[in-house]
Amino acid sequence: MSMDAAPSRSSAPSWAAVSAWGAGLLEIALGAGMMTEAGGAARGAGAVLIIIGAGAIGWGAAMLARGRVIAPRASMAGALAGLIAAVVALGIDPVRTSVAAVGAASALLVAVALACGWVVRRQRRGTVRTAQPRLSALLVAAVIVAAVVTPALGATEAGRLAPDHSGHGLVVPGHQH
């Protein structure tokens, strides 16, 4: 099969894209927590995490739109940069940086890197094709990633500082119309 073969249906882009979204959300939350710090190193690490996280979300969206892993070698480097940035954030402020969030983001970034490595290997063989994602695979990936990301987001500094859901209702007690 060549790279110009007709599109087929596959789950590979779905898993990599959704994993990138989950990792991106966690990196943004970790970065936001670092931005609350007074120190320059913490703010710098926070800015890097936010940029990498936003890039991961954009990359995942572009990948789903094209039906293939985009720039797999550069994406492996991006996943490695995300891993390093998360570990650096943990080293800078281990008290406020969630180990659970860093661990979840790391697992998702490893999944992204493995998907990219798989594509690079297939490119060498000449067997990479574009593929429309299977809806079922996309839904399963989203549910699994959400189950990993949601508690990890709550464990971040941004998640801990968020107001309680019962604290901001539509009706304010004692408010007259």
Side-chain angles (χ1 to χ4, degrees), residues 100-115:
V102 170
S106 297
L108 293 170
L109 289 168
V110 167
V112 168
L114 288 173

Side-chain angles (χ1 to χ4, degrees), residues 145-162:
V145 170
V148 170
V149 171
T150 302
L153 281 172
T156 64
E157 185 73 6
R160 288 189 295 265
L161 295 175

Side-chain angles (χ1 to χ4, degrees), residues 27-168:
E27 288 171 332
I28 290 170
L30 287 166
M34 297 298 291
M35 297 300 279
T36 62
E37 291 291 310
R43 287 184 179 268
V48 169
L49 280 166
I50 290 169
I51 291 167
I52 291 172
I57 291 169
W59 177 79
M63 186 172 48
L64 275 183
R66 292 191 181 173
R68 63 181 175 83
V69 175
I70 299 169
R73 285 183 177 88
S75 300
M76 283 190 286
L80 179 61
L83 282 164
I84 291 169
V87 170
V88 166
L90 188 59
I92 289 172
D93 190 1
V95 174
R96 293 190 201 191
T97 304
S98 167
V99 173
V102 170
S106 297
L108 293 170
L109 289 168
V110 167
V112 168
L114 288 173
C116 292
W118 180 77
V119 168
V120 168
R121 185 173 182 201
R122 296 212 42 186
Q123 282 177 340
R124 287 185 189 144
R125 293 182 186 166
T127 59
V128 175
R129 299 185 304 170
T130 61
Q132 296 299 319
R134 290 184 186 145
L135 183 57
S136 60
L138 186 59
L139 290 174
V140 169
V143 167
I144 291 171
V145 170
V148 170
V149 171
T150 302
L153 281 172
T156 64
E157 185 73 6
R160 288 189 295 265
L161 295 175
D164 185 17
H165 292 295
S166 63
H168 52 79

